[in-house]
Amino acid sequence: MRIVCIGGGPAGLYFGLLMKKENPAHHVTVVERNKPYDTFGWGVVFSDATMENMRAWDIETAQAIESAFNHWDDIEVLIKGRRMRTTGHGFVGIGRKKLLNILQARCEELGVELVFEQEVDSDLEFPDADLIIASDGINSKIRNRYEKEFKPDVVVRPNRYIWLGTKKPYDAFTFDFRRTEHGWFQAHIYKFDEETSTFIVETTEDVFKAHGLDEADEARSIAFCEGLFSEVLDGASLMSNSRHLRGSAWLNFNRLICGKWSHFNGRSHVVLMGDAVHTAHFAIGSGTKLAFEDAIELTRQFRKLGSTRDKIPEVLAAYEEVRAVDVARIQNAARNAMEWFEVVGSRYADTLEPEQFMYSLLTRSQRISHENLRVRDKKWLEDYERWFAARAGINIDPDGPPVPPMFTPYRVRGLSLQNRIVMSPMAMYSAKDGVPNDFHLVHFGSRALGGAGLIFGEMTCVSPDARITPGCLGLWNDEQTAAWKRIVEFVHATTSAKIGLQLGHAGRKGSTRVAWEGIDQPLDSGNWPLMSASALAYTPNSQVPRAMARADMERVKADFVATTRRAIDSGFDMLELHCAHGYLLSSFLSPLTNQRTDEYGGSHENNARYPLEVFRAVREVWPADKPISVRLSCHDWTEGGNTPVDAAIYAKMFKDAGADLIDCSSGQVSKAEKPVYGRLFQTPFSDKLRNEIGIATVAVGAISEADHANSIIAAGRADLCAIARPHLADSAWTLHEAAKIGLKSIAWPKQYLSGKLQYETNLARAAAAPSPA
Ligand SMILES: Cc1cc2nc3c(=O)[nH]c(=O)nc-3n(C[C@H](O)[C@H](O)[C@H](O)COP(=O)(O)OP(=O)(O)OC[C@H]3O[C@@H](n4cnc5c(N)ncnc54)[C@H](O)[C@@H]3O)c2cc1C
Ligand SMILES: Cc1cc2nc3c(=O)[nH]c(=O)nc-3n(C[C@H](O)[C@H](O)[C@H](O)COP(=O)(O)O)c2cc1C
């Protein structure tokens, strides 16, 4: 085959050499507009996994790169006059020039033709080529020429950054955060050869402009950065080598992905590779890795399917199919880290103490967890656990084992919880006429014995017509009050857990069957009339609710207040107002379900008017020393619905009205929703609300291990973690998770003590046993 790679960056050079190595009969040319050794940028970093892959494909290149690597283990963070360090993080870095030199030399050795100082304007300049690789970087002319075919999707990210270098070798990956009179700047600094380090400076657009950097030339920008980061530079100067850039040396990161990766131009097959087809933010430093892995995958497909011209369409289709999935995965991981740096100033640097700020930084991608940090740097993590526990009011024994963050106590108003774990509200559909029965006593009782600091009753309805199903619990009469009281008294007398009640009204989602007989389906008979913010049915099968009139609002508000008084009589420790999941109060908050034109719809203020009215009425009668949380759907996951930005606005309104915590759930407002599920998928909403609005939060959703809960609490992404489904599988979830992470000090019910010892011993034995061959 005749192969031409347009662009001699990592993608083009590496693919060229791999294909030439596969079959020396291929004619491979790499065309590059720059001179050899003339490149932009400074150093790049890699992981061990990338190197392993490269070793398998061309050991010579891998060894040359490895011998030029600089390794380092430490991360150092400078903020607010503090300098903090942790170790065990294992990075390798190499200068971009050095890397390209290695690739160029290997290309020459294998017989790849390298053409320098040739600007390519079009793929049609190579009519004899069977295969053209568009490896011409982020601003790919070739991709732009076939925009309709490749369908590039570019998102310009809001931050500004400048990629500089310095002749000061740092012995740690260094992050320096500096506040000016206008806002925060951060520097990402890492050494890549004996005397040079990469020095990327980043800030938000408004801070960039406030300093006039949009009008600054390169020299002024460099002088500005030297002044701002003088402490960490310690007399060293900054250098640029961005001659190739037109206009400002300050860039915005462009997140790119293409709808299609290849195209037949009538003579040759053209395929995109590397930055030309996708980008990954430098916050996780994986752009070069992706370029190499593209080259490897395309080579692998030629090896597998045949490297002749007639096989090219099949090979290119397979290449795209495999790589598109991998790239999406990396881009997802990069997104968390990138977004962290986009909001770091106001969300974390201004609000968190330096110790917690550093923890948040280290876990920014949500891929490195609490226990990962323990493996990397046990001492640092244990010191941090002690720091966190002291903040939570625990007397620290400097020689004793530290208390993991999820097991620290939490106090809100007059309520003291022994740990940060909450059993999330979960409807059991097992009541008759709304009355709690023996099932509920056993269900709540056993979970209260299971170690959670707080257990929540399921959504408990304020009137018979407020129920979702005939099996839902209620609290509108004396029989229910007495039955709840029995449960609350059991919890208080027998366990150290506290118990809260979630107050709700089903709204348009009411009058349906119990979950196992057809969720959201109307009853076969005995349906009751529904109401909601607007007269919109939930599903095509659902009853159409009436839009609430003012008289309805008065009646329902009075029901919430009456139930609150009964909750006081039953002895509950805390209330939660259910304003999520499309139920009555939630239906006011979402524009998807609220189409009112009166003062109860049309703006955030109007949408929140009735839910706030109910909240205030409840707060007024609920004892001042007992807290109330509000559950919100922080994302409707549907076009035109609420997003976390709206949730933050509502959270602030509830905070101002006296809410103590926001329980950050999402979805179930519209049947058209497309949630993006995954581990801890709703935690970013809690993080945003807690640290932007300054209100305590509960994180919930796919939190299933102590490691998850510890990471969330330690990083300040939430104050409490609510665990739902794992509590259905294991009523003693908290006690078992404590044992799994080796925490012996947690108290088990005295009746169960011999079980504790055996459980811990069995876990220790299993951990010590040799793994099966
Ligand atoms: C601030 C910053 C920090 C980064 N840090 C890291 C990191 O730590 N680790 C990491 O892995 N990645 C990092 N990256 C990303 C990394 O640089 C790229 O992802 C990687 O270089 C992609 O390789 P490529 O071959 O696809 O494209 P490029 O490296 O951009 O190569 C494209 C080549 O094509 C040439 N070219 C373009 N147009 C033409 C034309 N018309 N004719 C001829 N030649 C042409 C260019 O001169 C260039 O040599 C960083 C990027 C930035 C911006
Ligand atoms: C069976 C079941 C019933 C639920 N009922 C309620 C409820 O009554 N009120 C509520 O706010 N959320 C309810 N939820 C949602 C949970 O509280 C929780 O937000 C969700 O399950 C995600 O947490 P998880 O991943 O730990 O299960 C219910 C969830 C389940 C599985």
Side-chain angles (χ1 to χ4, degrees):
M1 287 193 301
R2 296 186 74 83
I3 301 170
V4 175
C5 302
I6 302 175
L13 291 169
Y14 196 53
F15 179 72
L17 74 85
L18 288 182
M19 284 303 282
K20 190 72 185 171
K21 185 179 172 182
E22 283 292 290
N23 184 350
H26 293 318
H27 188 272
V28 186
T29 310
V30 178
V31 187
E32 167 59 44
R33 65 176 168 208
N34 288 335
K35 296 192 186 110
Y37 318 133
D38 181 13
T39 178
F40 68 92
W42 302 98
V44 291
V45 288
F46 289 113
S47 69
D48 285 348
T50 310
M51 287 318 302
E52 207 168 295
N53 206 359
M54 291 179 72
R55 272 193 292 272
W57 282 86
D58 186 46
I59 187 75
E60 287 82 355
T61 305
Q63 278 172 349
I65 291 175
E66 277 168 329
S67 62
F69 266 153
N70 274 274
H71 293 250
W72 70 99
D73 276 328
D74 292 4
I75 294 180
E76 187 163 279
V77 179
L78 285 83
I79 186 164
K80 297 178 183 167
R82 295 281 300 281
R83 191 183 273 262
M84 300 166 293
R85 190 178 268 243
T86 150
T87 192
H89 300 280
F91 298 95
V92 284
I94 184 170
R96 183 177 156 95
K97 281 189 189 181
K98 180 79 192 166
L99 177 68
L100 292 184
N101 292 353
I102 290 170
L103 296 172
Q104 287 158 357
R106 183 73 179 134
C107 278
E108 276 165 357
E109 199 175 297
L110 290 165
V112 174
E113 185 192 358
L114 298 181
V115 180
F116 291 100
E117 297 180 72
Q118 183 179 328
E119 174 86 32
V120 178
D121 286 316
S122 159
D123 48 308
L124 301 179
E125 292 171 30
F126 307 98
D128 299 340
D130 299 306
L131 178 66
I132 295 176
I133 307 292
S135 48
D136 49 348
I138 176 74
N139 298 316
S140 171
K141 276 189 186 166
I142 309 299
R143 184 192 66 232
N144 292 343
R145 223 179 110 74
Y146 298 112
E147 208 172 326
K148 269 207 199 96
E149 286 76 14
F150 291 132
K151 302 185 182 63
D153 170 22
V154 179
V155 177
V156 181
R157 301 304 306 191
N159 268 10
R160 290 287 184 153
Y161 69 90
I162 183 165
W163 201 1
L164 303 169
T166 178
K167 288 283 175 202
K168 175 176 163 63
Y170 291 81
D171 65 349
F173 199 126
T174 303
F175 294 100
D176 188 1
F177 297 84
R178 298 275 151 184
R179 203 186 199 302
T180 68
E181 66 276 28
H182 299 299
W184 288 87
F185 284 80
Q186 59 259 16
H188 311 234
I189 313 164
Y190 51 94
K191 180 173 99 166
F192 62 84
D193 65 26
E194 278 322 304
E195 71 257 12
T196 330
S197 299
T198 297
F199 201 109
I200 302 168
V201 178
E202 188 187 9
T203 190
T204 56
E205 180 79 12
D206 52 337
V207 175
F208 166 76
K209 284 200 172 133
H211 281 281
L213 292 167
D214 50 336
E215 281 162 16
D217 60 13
E218 192 175 86
R220 216 191 102 203
S221 294
I222 288 179
F224 174 85
C225 294
E226 284 173 346
L228 186 59
F229 293 102
S230 59
E231 181 189 332
V232 79
L233 280 166
D234 192 22
S237 49
L238 290 171
M239 317 174 280
S240 159
N241 68 355
S242 57
R243 289 184 307 285
H244 63 293
L245 296 173
R246 269 151 278 155
S248 173
W250 292 82
L251 305 173
N252 289 88
F253 175 72
N254 292 313
R255 199 284 282 127
L256 164 75
I257 185 76
C258 291
K260 200 166 178 323
W261 293 32
S262 64
H263 168 66
F264 183 63
N265 71 10
R267 303 185 83 124
S268 320
H269 292 275
V270 182
V271 62
L272 302 172
M273 187 176 282
D275 271 13
V277 62
H278 48 63
T279 51
H281 190 256
F282 56 84
I284 65 160
S286 287
T288 308
K289 160 199 158 81
L290 288 182
F292 282 147
E293 287 173 356
D294 284 352
I296 287 173
E297 188 56 39
L298 188 53
T299 312
R300 187 200 318 277
Q301 294 299 342
F302 274 119
R303 186 186 280 182
K304 188 169 144 197
L305 301 170
S307 60
T308 48
R309 185 182 163 94
D310 58 315
K311 295 285 182 194
I312 294 177
E314 203 184 332
V315 165
L316 296 186
Y319 158 74
E320 177 176 335
E321 195 181 321
V322 174
R323 289 304 293 153
V325 174
D326 275 358
V327 168
R329 200 172 44 76
I330 299 274
Q331 285 189 333
N332 271 342
R335 193 180 51 218
N336 282 339
M338 171 180 76
E339 287 176 356
W340 192 92
F341 283 110
E342 287 170 1
V343 296
V344 59
S346 56
R347 193 189 288 179
Y348 307 115
D350 274 337
T351 57
L352 301 180
E353 292 185 68
E355 286 81 355
Q356 190 165 43
F357 177 84
M358 181 161 178
Y359 187 102
S360 177
L361 167 70
L362 295 174
T363 54
R364 64 192 178 276
S365 72
Q366 289 199 23
R367 288 171 108 199
I368 293 180
S369 70
H370 198 70
E371 294 309 319
N372 289 150
L373 289 175
R374 200 184 306 282
V375 171
R376 287 161 191 242
D377 190 347
K378 187 161 183 274
K379 159 113 184 40
W380 179 85
L381 190 77
E382 291 193 348
D383 284 350
Y384 180 70
E385 288 183 327
R386 287 194 184 90
W387 177 89
F388 188 93
R391 286 283 179 291
I394 293 185
N395 283 332
I396 301 301
D397 168 6
D399 302 320
V403 178
M406 70 185 256
F407 290 106
T408 58
Y410 184 70
R411 196 176 164 83
V412 49
R413 295 198 188 227
L415 176 69
S416 292
L417 303 178
Q418 61 174 349
N419 62 50
R420 310 298 187 105
I421 299 303
V422 179
M423 182 182 94
S424 200
M426 276 182 289
M428 294 287 103
Y429 311 108
S430 298
K432 190 163 176 298
D433 300 325
V435 184
N437 54 41
D438 285 355
F439 168 80
H440 299 99
L441 176 69
V442 174
H443 172 66
F444 291 121
S446 51
R447 273 135 195 101
L449 287 163
L454 174 67
I455 63 162
F456 254 105
E458 64 192 68
M459 174 169 134
T460 298
C461 308
V462 296
S463 62
D465 68 344
R467 288 175 301 167
I468 312 168
T469 75
C472 287
L473 282 171
L475 186 49
W476 63 79
N477 63 31
D478 291 348
E479 191 186 357
Q480 293 158 347
T481 312
W484 272 120
K485 192 168 185 207
R486 177 171 168 242
I487 293 171
V488 172
E489 283 178 356
F490 173 83
V491 171
H492 287 163
T494 321
T495 79
S496 37
K498 301 292 193 270
I499 177 163
L501 187 72
Q502 188 186 48
L503 302 183
H505 188 304
R508 70 173 187 155
K509 293 174 82 176
S511 192
T512 61
R513 300 180 209 166
V514 296
W516 45 87
E517 287 174 7
I519 203 156
D520 299 328
Q521 295 306 311
L523 297 170
D524 289 334
S525 62
N527 282 293
W528 55 84
L530 302 181
M531 54 188 156
S532 187
S534 297
L536 298 166
Y538 183 47
T539 73
N541 276 347
S542 306
Q543 202 190 125
V544 180
R546 72 171 181 280
M548 281 181 105
R550 188 59 226 174
D552 295 321
M553 293 185 189
E554 288 300 337
R555 201 264 283 167
V556 170
K557 184 169 69 175
D559 289 343
F560 270 97
V561 169
T563 297
T564 303
R565 292 192 201 282
R566 290 184 178 279
I568 299 171
D569 294 344
S570 297
F572 282 100
D573 301 300
M574 177 171 175
L575 288 186
E576 174 160 288
L577 190 64
H578 199 339
C579 295
H581 302 170
Y583 297 116
L584 186 77
L585 298 178
S586 160
S587 74
F588 280 86
L589 295 179
S590 171
L592 298 172
T593 46
N594 184 346
Q595 299 182 350
R596 299 178 73 107
T597 51
D598 59 6
E599 69 267 46
Y600 295 100
S603 65
H604 288 112
E605 201 188 351
N606 285 358
N607 291 354
R609 195 181 303 280
Y610 184 60
L612 283 170
E613 211 176 297
V614 172
F615 176 84
R616 287 198 189 95
V618 166
R619 184 64 267 179
E620 211 172 292
V621 293
W622 185 241
D625 64 337
K626 293 189 178 187
I628 309 186
S629 58
V630 174
R631 183 167 260 209
L632 293 180
S633 279
C634 297
H635 204 317
D636 287 345
W637 304 110
T638 317
E639 195 69 29
N642 282 336
T643 69
V645 173
D646 304 291
I649 294 169
Y650 292 133
K652 170 88 171 62
M653 292 177 178
F654 280 107
K655 179 190 174 195
D656 292 345
D660 299 292
L661 293 122
I662 303 291
D663 186 353
C664 302
S665 187
S666 73
Q668 300 176 50
V669 169
S670 158
K671 275 287 181 199
E673 69 181 0
K674 291 206 168 58
V676 183
Y677 293 121
R679 195 166 51 98
L680 318 188
F681 74 111
Q682 294 172 155
T683 300
F685 312 146
S686 164
D687 185 356
K688 177 179 171 73
L689 269 46
R690 182 178 191 272
N691 295 306
E692 282 183 7
I693 306 303
I695 184 160
T697 57
V698 185
V700 64
I703 303 170
S704 52
E705 311 170 4
D707 195 21
H708 299 160
N710 276 324
S711 308
I712 293 169
I713 301 295
R717 299 197 164 95
D719 298 272
L720 300 174
C721 285
I723 313 291
R725 290 164 297 172
H727 268 121
L728 298 181
D730 181 359
S731 60
W733 184 86
T734 308
L735 298 180
H736 289 158
E737 287 300 309
K740 285 183 204 160
I741 58 169
L743 181 77
K744 298 215 158 102
S745 58
I746 189 165
W748 281 42
K750 56 181 180 289
Q751 299 87 338
Y752 298 172
L753 272 180
S754 45
K756 175 177 195 258
L757 195 62
Q758 188 199 37
Y759 191 77
E760 288 169 355
T761 310
N762 286 346
L763 282 177
R765 252 190 226 134
S771 55

